[in-house]
Coordinates of all heavy atoms in Angstrom, one line a residue:
R545 N 0.4 8.6 11.4 CA -0.5 8.2 12.4 C -1.4 7.1 11.9 O -1.8 6.2 12.6 CB -1.3 9.3 12.9 CG -0.5 10.4 13.6 CD -1.4 11.4 14.1 NE -0.6 12.5 14.7 CZ -1.0 13.6 15.2 NH1 -2.3 13.8 15.3 NH2 -0.2 14.5 15.7
D546 N -1.7 7.1 10.6 CA -2.5 6.1 10.0 C -1.7 5.3 9.0 O -1.5 5.8 7.9 CB -3.7 6.7 9.3 CG -4.7 5.7 8.8 OD1 -4.5 4.4 9.0 OD2 -5.7 6.1 8.2
P547 N -1.3 4.1 9.3 CA -0.4 3.3 8.4 C -1.1 2.9 7.1 O -0.4 2.6 6.1 CB -0.2 2.0 9.2 CG -0.4 2.3 10.6 CD -1.5 3.4 10.6
L548 N -2.4 3.1 7.0 CA -3.1 2.9 5.7 C -2.6 3.8 4.7 O -2.7 3.6 3.5 CB -4.6 2.9 5.9 CG -5.4 2.4 4.7 CD1 -5.1 1.0 4.4 CD2 -6.9 2.7 4.9
R549 N -2.0 4.9 5.1 CA -1.4 5.9 4.2 C -0.4 5.3 3.2 O -0.1 5.8 2.1 CB -0.8 7.1 4.9 CG -1.8 8.0 5.6 CD -1.2 9.1 6.2 NE -2.2 9.9 7.0 CZ -1.9 10.9 7.7 NH1 -0.6 11.3 7.8 NH2 -2.8 11.6 8.3
L550 N 0.2 4.2 3.7 CA 1.2 3.5 2.9 C 0.6 3.0 1.6 O 1.1 3.2 0.5 CB 1.8 2.3 3.6 CG 2.5 2.6 5.0 CD1 2.8 1.3 5.7 CD2 3.7 3.4 4.8
L551 N -0.6 2.4 1.7 CA -1.3 2.0 0.5 C -2.0 3.1 -0.2 O -2.1 3.2 -1.4 CB -2.4 0.9 0.9 CG -1.8 -0.4 1.3 CD1 -3.0 -1.4 1.7 CD2 -1.0 -1.1 0.2
R552 N -2.5 4.1 0.5 CA -3.2 5.2 0.0 C -2.2 6.0 -1.0 O -2.7 6.5 -2.0 CB -3.7 6.1 1.1 CG -4.8 7.1 0.6 CD -5.5 7.8 1.7 NE -6.3 6.8 2.4 CZ -6.5 6.7 3.7 NH1 -5.8 7.6 4.5 NH2 -7.2 5.8 4.3
A553 N -1.0 6.1 -0.6 CA 0.0 6.8 -1.5 C 0.0 6.1 -2.9 O 0.0 6.8 -3.9 CB 1.4 6.8 -0.9
Y554 N 0.0 4.8 -2.9 CA 0.0 4.1 -4.1 C -1.3 4.3 -4.9 O -1.3 4.3 -6.1 CB 0.3 2.6 -3.9 CG 1.8 2.3 -3.6 CD1 2.2 2.1 -2.3 CD2 2.7 2.4 -4.6 CE1 3.5 1.9 -2.0 CE2 4.1 2.2 -4.3 CZ 4.4 1.9 -3.0 OH 5.8 1.7 -2.7
R555 N -2.4 4.3 -4.2 CA -3.7 4.6 -4.8 C -3.7 5.9 -5.5 O -4.1 6.1 -6.7 CB -4.9 4.5 -3.9 CG -6.2 4.8 -4.6 CD -7.4 4.5 -3.7 NE -7.4 5.1 -2.4 CZ -8.0 6.2 -2.1 NH1 -8.6 6.9 -3.0 NH2 -8.0 6.7 -0.9
F556 N -3.2 6.9 -4.8 CA -3.1 8.3 -5.4 C -2.2 8.3 -6.7 O -2.5 8.9 -7.7 CB -2.7 9.3 -4.4 CG -3.7 9.6 -3.4 CD1 -3.3 9.9 -2.1 CD2 -5.1 9.6 -3.7 CE1 -4.3 10.2 -1.1 CE2 -6.0 9.9 -2.7 CZ -5.6 10.2 -1.4
A557 N -1.2 7.5 -6.6 CA -0.3 7.4 -7.7 C -1.0 6.8 -8.9 O -0.8 7.2 -10.1 CB 1.0 6.6 -7.4
A558 N -1.8 5.8 -8.6 CA -2.6 5.1 -9.7 C -3.7 6.0 -10.3 O -3.8 6.1 -11.5 CB -3.2 3.8 -9.2
V559 N -4.4 6.7 -9.4 CA -5.5 7.6 -9.8 C -5.0 8.7 -10.6 O -5.5 9.1 -11.7 CB -6.3 8.0 -8.6 CG1 -7.3 9.1 -9.0 CG2 -7.1 6.8 -8.0
L560 N -3.9 9.4 -10.1 CA -3.4 10.6 -10.7 C -2.3 10.3 -11.7 O -1.7 11.3 -12.3 CB -2.9 11.5 -9.6 CG -4.0 11.9 -8.6 CD1 -3.4 12.7 -7.5 CD2 -5.1 12.7 -9.3
N561 N -2.0 9.0 -11.9 CA -1.0 8.6 -12.9 C 0.4 9.3 -12.7 O 0.9 10.0 -13.6 CB -1.5 8.9 -14.3 CG -0.7 8.1 -15.4 OD1 -0.1 7.1 -15.1 ND2 -0.7 8.7 -16.6
F562 N 1.0 9.0 -11.5 CA 2.3 9.5 -11.3 C 3.1 8.5 -10.5 O 2.5 7.5 -10.0 CB 2.3 10.9 -10.6 CG 1.8 10.8 -9.1 CD1 2.7 10.5 -8.1 CD2 0.5 11.1 -8.8 CE1 2.2 10.5 -6.8 CE2 0.1 11.1 -7.5 CZ 0.9 10.8 -6.5
Q563 N 4.4 8.6 -10.4 CA 5.2 7.7 -9.6 C 5.6 8.4 -8.3 O 5.8 9.7 -8.3 CB 6.5 7.4 -10.4 CG 6.3 6.4 -11.6 CD 7.6 6.0 -12.1 OE1 8.5 6.8 -12.3 NE2 7.7 4.7 -12.4
L564 N 5.7 7.7 -7.3 CA 6.1 8.2 -6.0 C 7.5 8.6 -6.1 O 8.4 8.0 -6.7 CB 5.9 7.2 -4.9 CG 4.5 6.7 -4.7 CD1 4.5 5.6 -3.6 CD2 3.6 7.8 -4.3
D565 N 7.9 9.7 -5.4 CA 9.3 10.1 -5.4 C 10.1 9.2 -4.5 O 9.6 8.5 -3.6 CB 9.4 11.6 -5.1 CG 9.1 12.0 -3.6 OD1 9.3 11.1 -2.7 OD2 8.8 13.1 -3.3
P566 N 11.4 9.2 -4.7 CA 12.2 8.3 -3.9 C 12.2 8.5 -2.4 O 12.2 7.5 -1.7 CB 13.6 8.6 -4.5 CG 13.4 9.1 -5.8 CD 12.1 9.9 -5.8
K567 N 12.0 9.7 -2.0 CA 11.9 9.9 -0.5 C 10.6 9.3 0.1 O 10.7 8.7 1.1 CB 11.9 11.4 -0.2 CG 13.2 12.1 -0.4 CD 13.2 13.5 0.0 CE 14.5 14.2 -0.2 NZ 14.5 15.6 0.1
T568 N 9.5 9.4 -0.7 CA 8.3 8.8 -0.2 C 8.4 7.3 -0.2 O 8.0 6.6 0.7 CB 7.1 9.2 -1.1 OG1 7.0 10.6 -1.1 CG2 5.8 8.6 -0.7
E569 N 9.0 6.7 -1.3 CA 9.2 5.3 -1.3 C 10.1 4.8 -0.2 O 9.9 3.7 0.4 CB 9.8 4.9 -2.7 CG 8.7 4.9 -3.8 CD 9.3 4.4 -5.1 OE1 10.5 4.6 -5.4 OE2 8.4 3.9 -5.9
T570 N 11.1 5.6 0.1 CA 12.0 5.2 1.3 C 11.2 5.2 2.6 O 11.4 4.3 3.4 CB 13.2 6.2 1.3 OG1 14.0 6.1 0.1 CG2 14.1 5.9 2.5
W571 N 10.4 6.2 2.8 CA 9.6 6.3 4.0 C 8.6 5.1 4.1 O 8.5 4.5 5.1 CB 8.8 7.6 4.0 CG 7.8 7.7 5.1 CD1 8.1 8.0 6.4 CD2 6.4 7.4 5.1 NE1 7.0 7.9 7.2 CE2 5.9 7.5 6.4 CE3 5.6 7.0 4.1 CZ2 4.6 7.3 6.7 CZ3 4.2 6.8 4.4 CH2 3.8 7.0 5.7
I572 N 8.0 4.8 2.9 CA 7.1 3.6 2.9 C 7.9 2.3 3.2 O 7.4 1.5 4.0 CB 6.4 3.5 1.5 CG1 5.4 4.7 1.4 CG2 5.7 2.2 1.4 CD1 4.7 4.8 0.0
N573 N 9.0 2.2 2.6 CA 9.8 1.0 2.9 C 10.2 0.8 4.4 O 10.1 -0.2 4.9 CB 11.1 1.0 2.0 CG 11.7 -0.4 2.0 OD1 11.1 -1.4 2.0 ND2 13.1 -0.4 1.9
Q574 N 10.5 1.9 5.0 CA 10.9 1.9 6.4 C 9.7 1.7 7.3 O 9.9 1.3 8.4 CB 11.6 3.2 6.7 CG 13.0 3.4 6.1 CD 13.6 4.8 6.3 OE1 12.9 5.7 6.7 NE2 14.8 4.9 5.9
S575 N 8.6 2.1 6.8 CA 7.3 2.0 7.7 C 6.4 0.9 7.3 O 5.4 0.7 8.0 CB 6.6 3.4 7.5 OG 7.4 4.4 7.8
K576 N 6.7 0.1 6.4 CA 5.8 -0.9 5.8 C 5.3 -1.9 6.9 O 4.2 -2.4 6.8 CB 6.4 -1.7 4.7 CG 7.6 -2.5 5.0 CD 8.2 -3.0 3.7 CE 9.5 -3.7 4.0 NZ 10.2 -4.0 2.8
H577 N 6.1 -2.2 7.9 CA 5.7 -3.1 9.0 C 4.5 -2.6 9.7 O 3.7 -3.3 10.3 CB 6.9 -3.3 9.9 CG 7.3 -2.1 10.7 ND1 8.0 -1.1 10.2 CD2 6.9 -1.7 12.0 CE1 8.2 -0.2 11.1 NE2 7.6 -0.5 12.2
L578 N 4.2 -1.3 9.7 CA 3.1 -0.7 10.4 C 1.8 -1.1 9.8 O 0.7 -1.0 10.5 CB 3.2 0.8 10.4 CG 4.4 1.4 11.2 CD1 4.5 2.9 11.0 CD2 4.4 1.0 12.6
I579 N 1.8 -1.5 8.6 CA 0.5 -1.9 7.9 C -0.2 -3.1 8.7 O -1.4 -3.3 8.6 CB 0.8 -2.3 6.4 CG1 -0.5 -2.3 5.6 CG2 1.4 -3.7 6.3 CD1 -1.0 -0.9 5.3
Q580 N 0.6 -3.8 9.5 CA 0.0 -4.9 10.3 C -0.9 -4.3 11.4 O -1.7 -5.1 11.9 CB 1.2 -5.6 11.0 CG 2.1 -6.3 10.1 CD 3.3 -6.9 10.8 OE1 3.1 -7.8 11.6 NE2 4.5 -6.4 10.5
N581 N -0.9 -3.1 11.6 CA -1.7 -2.5 12.7 C -3.1 -2.0 12.1 O -3.8 -1.4 12.9 CB -1.0 -1.3 13.4 CG 0.3 -1.8 14.0 OD1 0.4 -2.9 14.5 ND2 1.3 -0.9 14.0
V582 N -3.3 -2.2 10.8 CA -4.5 -1.7 10.2 C -5.5 -2.8 10.1 O -5.2 -4.0 9.8 CB -4.2 -1.1 8.8 CG1 -5.4 -0.7 8.1 CG2 -3.2 0.0 8.8
A583 N -6.8 -2.5 10.3 CA -7.8 -3.5 10.2 C -7.9 -4.1 8.8 O -7.8 -3.3 7.8 CB -9.2 -2.9 10.6
F584 N -8.1 -5.4 8.8 CA -8.1 -6.1 7.5 C -9.1 -5.5 6.5 O -8.9 -5.3 5.3 CB -8.4 -7.6 7.7 CG -8.4 -8.4 6.5 CD1 -7.2 -8.6 5.8 CD2 -9.6 -8.9 6.0 CE1 -7.2 -9.4 4.6 CE2 -9.6 -9.6 4.8 CZ -8.5 -9.9 4.1
E585 N -10.3 -5.1 7.0 CA -11.3 -4.5 6.2 C -10.9 -3.2 5.6 O -11.2 -2.9 4.4 CB -12.6 -4.3 7.1 CG -13.2 -5.5 7.6 CD -12.6 -6.0 8.9 OE1 -11.7 -5.4 9.4 OE2 -12.9 -7.2 9.3
R586 N -10.1 -2.4 6.2 CA -9.7 -1.1 5.7 C -8.6 -1.4 4.6 O -8.6 -0.7 3.6 CB -9.0 -0.3 6.8 CG -10.1 0.2 7.8 CD -9.5 1.1 8.8 NE -9.0 2.4 8.2 CZ -8.0 3.1 8.6 NH1 -7.2 2.7 9.6 NH2 -7.7 4.2 7.9
I587 N -7.8 -2.4 4.8 CA -6.8 -2.8 3.8 C -7.5 -3.3 2.5 O -7.2 -2.9 1.4 CB -5.8 -3.8 4.3 CG1 -5.0 -3.2 5.4 CG2 -5.0 -4.4 3.2 CD1 -4.1 -4.2 6.2
V588 N -8.5 -4.1 2.7 CA -9.3 -4.7 1.5 C -9.9 -3.5 0.8 O -9.9 -3.5 -0.5 CB -10.3 -5.7 2.0 CG1 -11.3 -6.0 0.9 CG2 -9.6 -6.9 2.5
Q589 N -10.5 -2.6 1.5 CA -11.2 -1.4 0.8 C -10.2 -0.6 0.0 O -10.4 -0.2 -1.1 CB -11.8 -0.5 1.9 CG -12.5 0.7 1.3 CD -13.6 0.4 0.3 OE1 -14.3 -0.7 0.4 NE2 -13.9 1.3 -0.6
E590 N -9.0 -0.4 0.5 CA -8.0 0.4 -0.2 C -7.5 -0.4 -1.4 O -7.3 0.2 -2.5 CB -6.8 0.7 0.8 CG -5.9 1.8 0.3 CD -6.6 3.2 0.2 OE1 -7.5 3.5 1.0 OE2 -6.3 3.9 -0.8
L591 N -7.3 -1.7 -1.3 CA -6.9 -2.5 -2.4 C -8.0 -2.5 -3.5 O -7.7 -2.5 -4.7 CB -6.6 -3.9 -2.0 CG -5.3 -4.1 -1.1 CD1 -5.2 -5.5 -0.6 CD2 -4.1 -3.7 -1.9
Y592 N -9.2 -2.6 -3.1 CA -10.3 -2.5 -4.0 C -10.3 -1.2 -4.8 O -10.4 -1.2 -6.0 CB -11.7 -2.6 -3.3 CG -12.9 -2.4 -4.2 CD1 -13.3 -3.5 -5.0 CD2 -13.5 -1.2 -4.2 CE1 -14.3 -3.3 -5.9 CE2 -14.6 -1.0 -5.1 CZ -15.0 -2.1 -5.9 OH -16.1 -1.9 -6.8
L593 N -10.0 -0.1 -4.1 CA -9.9 1.2 -4.8 C -8.7 1.2 -5.8 O -8.8 1.8 -6.9 CB -9.8 2.3 -3.8 CG -11.1 2.6 -2.9 CD1 -10.8 3.5 -1.8 CD2 -12.2 3.0 -3.8
I594 N -7.6 0.6 -5.4 CA -6.5 0.5 -6.3 C -6.9 -0.3 -7.5 O -6.6 0.0 -8.7 CB -5.3 -0.1 -5.6 CG1 -4.7 0.9 -4.5 CG2 -4.2 -0.5 -6.6 CD1 -3.7 0.4 -3.6
L595 N -7.5 -1.5 -7.3 CA -7.9 -2.3 -8.4 C -8.9 -1.7 -9.4 O -9.0 -2.1 -10.5 CB -8.5 -3.6 -7.8 CG -7.5 -4.6 -7.2 CD1 -8.2 -5.7 -6.5 CD2 -6.5 -5.2 -8.3
S596 N -9.6 -0.7 -8.9 CA -10.6 0.0 -9.8 C -10.0 1.0 -10.7 O -10.7 1.6 -11.5 CB -11.7 0.6 -8.9 OG -11.2 1.7 -8.2
T597 N -8.7 1.2 -10.6 CA -8.0 2.2 -11.4 C -7.4 1.5 -12.7 O -7.2 0.3 -12.7 CB -6.8 2.9 -10.7 OG1 -5.8 1.9 -10.5 CG2 -7.3 3.5 -9.4
S598 N -7.2 2.3 -13.7 CA -6.6 1.8 -14.9 C -5.2 1.4 -14.8 O -4.6 0.7 -15.6 CB -6.8 2.7 -16.1 OG -6.2 4.0 -15.8
N599 N -4.5 1.9 -13.8 CA -3.1 1.7 -13.6 C -2.8 0.6 -12.5 O -1.7 0.6 -11.9 CB -2.4 3.0 -13.2 CG -2.4 4.0 -14.3 OD1 -2.3 3.7 -15.5 ND2 -2.6 5.2 -13.9
S600 N -3.8 -0.1 -12.2 CA -3.7 -1.0 -11.0 C -2.6 -2.0 -11.1 O -1.9 -2.3 -10.1 CB -5.0 -1.7 -10.7 OG -5.4 -2.6 -11.8
A601 N -2.4 -2.6 -12.3 CA -1.3 -3.6 -12.4 C 0.1 -3.0 -12.1 O 0.9 -3.6 -11.4 CB -1.3 -4.2 -13.8
L602 N 0.3 -1.8 -12.6 CA 1.6 -1.2 -12.3 C 1.8 -0.9 -10.8 O 2.9 -1.1 -10.3 CB 1.8 0.1 -13.1 CG 1.8 0.0 -14.6 CD1 1.7 1.3 -15.3 CD2 3.0 -0.8 -15.1
V603 N 0.7 -0.4 -10.2 CA 0.8 0.0 -8.8 C 0.9 -1.3 -7.9 O 1.7 -1.3 -7.0 CB -0.4 0.8 -8.4 CG1 -0.5 1.0 -6.9 CG2 -0.4 2.2 -9.2
L604 N 0.2 -2.3 -8.3 CA 0.3 -3.5 -7.5 C 1.7 -4.1 -7.6 O 2.2 -4.7 -6.6 CB -0.8 -4.5 -7.9 CG -2.2 -4.1 -7.6 CD1 -3.2 -5.1 -8.2 CD2 -2.4 -4.0 -6.1
N605 N 2.3 -4.0 -8.7 CA 3.7 -4.4 -8.9 C 4.6 -3.6 -8.0 O 5.5 -4.2 -7.4 CB 4.1 -4.3 -10.4 CG 5.4 -5.0 -10.6 OD1 5.7 -6.0 -10.1 ND2 6.2 -4.3 -11.5
E606 N 4.4 -2.3 -7.9 CA 5.2 -1.5 -7.0 C 5.0 -1.9 -5.6 O 6.0 -2.0 -4.8 CB 4.9 0.0 -7.2 CG 5.3 0.5 -8.6 CD 6.8 0.4 -8.8 OE1 7.7 0.7 -8.0 OE2 7.2 -0.1 -9.9
I607 N 3.8 -2.2 -5.2 CA 3.5 -2.6 -3.8 C 4.2 -3.9 -3.5 O 4.8 -4.1 -2.5 CB 2.0 -2.7 -3.6 CG1 1.3 -1.4 -3.6 CG2 1.7 -3.5 -2.3 CD1 -0.2 -1.4 -3.6
N608 N 4.3 -4.8 -4.5 CA 5.0 -6.1 -4.4 C 6.5 -5.8 -4.3 O 7.1 -6.5 -3.4 CB 4.7 -7.0 -5.6 CG 5.3 -8.3 -5.5 OD1 5.2 -9.0 -4.4 ND2 6.0 -8.7 -6.5
K609 N 7.0 -5.0 -5.1 CA 8.5 -4.7 -5.0 C 9.0 -4.2 -3.7 O 10.0 -4.6 -3.2 CB 8.9 -3.7 -6.1 CG 9.0 -4.2 -7.5 CD 9.4 -3.1 -8.4 CE 9.3 -3.4 -9.8 NZ 9.6 -2.3 -10.7
I610 N 8.1 -3.4 -3.0 CA 8.6 -2.8 -1.8 C 8.3 -3.8 -0.6 O 8.9 -3.6 0.5 CB 7.9 -1.5 -1.5 CG1 8.8 -0.6 -0.7 CG2 6.5 -1.6 -1.0 CD1 8.5 0.9 -0.8
G611 N 7.6 -4.9 -0.8 CA 7.4 -5.9 0.2 C 6.2 -5.8 1.0 O 6.0 -6.6 2.0
I612 N 5.2 -5.0 0.6 CA 4.0 -4.9 1.4 C 3.1 -6.1 1.2 O 2.5 -6.6 2.2 CB 3.2 -3.6 1.1 CG1 4.1 -2.4 1.5 CG2 1.9 -3.6 1.7 CD1 3.5 -1.0 1.2
W613 N 3.1 -6.7 0.0 CA 2.3 -7.9 -0.2 C 2.7 -9.0 0.8 O 1.8 -9.7 1.3 CB 2.5 -8.4 -1.6 CG 1.6 -7.8 -2.6 CD1 2.0 -7.2 -3.8 CD2 0.2 -7.7 -2.6 NE1 0.9 -6.7 -4.5 CE2 -0.3 -7.0 -3.8 CE3 -0.8 -8.1 -1.7 CZ2 -1.6 -6.7 -4.1 CZ3 -2.2 -7.8 -2.0 CH2 -2.5 -7.1 -3.2
Q614 N 4.0 -9.2 0.9 CA 4.5 -10.2 1.8 C 3.9 -10.0 3.2 O 3.5 -11.0 3.9 CB 6.0 -10.3 1.8 CG 6.5 -11.4 2.7 CD 8.1 -11.5 2.6 OE1 8.7 -10.6 2.0 NE2 8.6 -12.4 3.3
I615 N 4.0 -8.8 3.7 CA 3.5 -8.5 5.1 C 2.0 -8.7 5.1 O 1.5 -9.3 6.1 CB 3.8 -7.0 5.4 CG1 5.4 -6.9 5.6 CG2 3.1 -6.6 6.7 CD1 5.8 -5.5 5.7
L616 N 1.3 -8.3 4.1 CA -0.2 -8.5 4.1 C -0.6 -10.0 4.1 O -1.5 -10.4 4.8 CB -0.8 -7.8 2.9 CG -0.8 -6.3 3.0 CD1 -1.4 -5.7 1.7 CD2 -1.5 -5.7 4.2
L617 N 0.2 -10.8 3.3 CA -0.1 -12.2 3.3 C 0.2 -12.9 4.6 O -0.5 -13.8 5.0 CB 0.6 -12.8 2.1 CG 0.1 -12.5 0.7 CD1 1.0 -13.1 -0.4 CD2 -1.3 -13.0 0.5
Q618 N 1.3 -12.5 5.2 CA 1.7 -13.1 6.5 C 0.6 -12.7 7.5 O 0.2 -13.6 8.3 CB 3.0 -12.6 7.0 CG 4.2 -13.1 6.2 CD 5.5 -12.5 6.6 OE1 5.5 -11.5 7.3 NE2 6.6 -13.0 6.1
Q619 N 0.1 -11.5 7.5 CA -0.9 -11.1 8.4 C -2.2 -11.9 8.2 O -2.9 -12.3 9.1 CB -1.2 -9.6 8.3 CG -2.3 -9.1 9.2 CD -2.5 -7.6 8.9 OE1 -1.9 -7.0 8.1 NE2 -3.5 -7.1 9.6
T620 N -2.6 -12.1 6.9 CA -3.8 -12.8 6.6 C -3.7 -14.3 6.9 O -4.7 -14.9 7.4 CB -4.1 -12.6 5.1 OG1 -4.1 -11.2 4.8 CG2 -5.4 -13.3 4.7
L621 N -2.6 -14.9 6.7 CA -2.4 -16.3 6.9 C -2.0 -16.7 8.3 O -2.1 -17.9 8.7 CB -1.4 -16.9 5.9 CG -1.7 -16.7 4.4 CD1 -0.6 -17.1 3.6 CD2 -3.0 -17.4 4.1
S622 N -1.7 -15.7 9.2 CA -1.3 -16.1 10.5 C -2.6 -16.5 11.3 O -3.6 -15.9 11.2 CB -0.7 -14.9 11.2 OG 0.5 -14.6 10.6
P623 N -2.4 -17.5 12.2 CA -3.5 -18.0 13.0 C -3.9 -16.9 14.1 O -3.3 -16.1 14.4 CB -3.0 -19.2 13.6 CG -1.6 -19.3 13.4 CD -1.2 -18.3 12.4

């Protein structure tokens, strides 16, 4: 119901130092387009929380691999 959970899953992985299981990653990959429905401010807050973790570089790389960065950038740069 809340597409921000896509990013939140990665934040929990960073905070708790674990990798998402393949089924969760598959679900995120299939649902990543829904992130476009989240307010920009909420996305920024979640990214800030990810960046505040010691594992942020690894997690941001995973977010990039699955294609969420591309969607976020398109959303941000669209008129």
Side-chain angles (χ1 to χ4, degrees):
R545 295 182 188 182
D546 183 5
L548 191 62
R549 290 181 185 179
L550 303 171
L551 289 178
R552 196 168 292 140
Y554 285 103
R555 176 170 54 96
F556 289 145
V559 170
L560 301 173
N561 197 25
F562 69 86
Q563 288 187 318
L564 299 176
D565 71 23
K567 287 182 182 180
T568 302
E569 287 184 329
T570 298
W571 175 79
I572 290 171
N573 193 36
Q574 293 171 347
S575 305
K576 64 187 174 192
H577 66 280
L578 297 173
I579 199 74
Q580 298 174 60
N581 300 326
V582 177
F584 181 71
E585 295 80 10
R586 293 182 68 212
I587 293 169
V588 169
Q589 178 63 26
E590 198 63 39
L591 291 172
Y592 175 78
L593 292 171
I594 290 170
L595 286 168
S596 69
T597 69
S598 61
N599 296 323
S600 63
L602 295 173
V603 171
L604 292 174
N605 189 40
E606 292 301 313
I607 290 170
N608 183 49
K609 282 183 191 177
I610 207 155
I612 293 176
W613 274 127
Q614 182 178 4
I615 293 168
L616 292 176
L617 289 174
Q618 288 173 351
Q619 179 183 358
T620 304
L621 299 175
S622 294

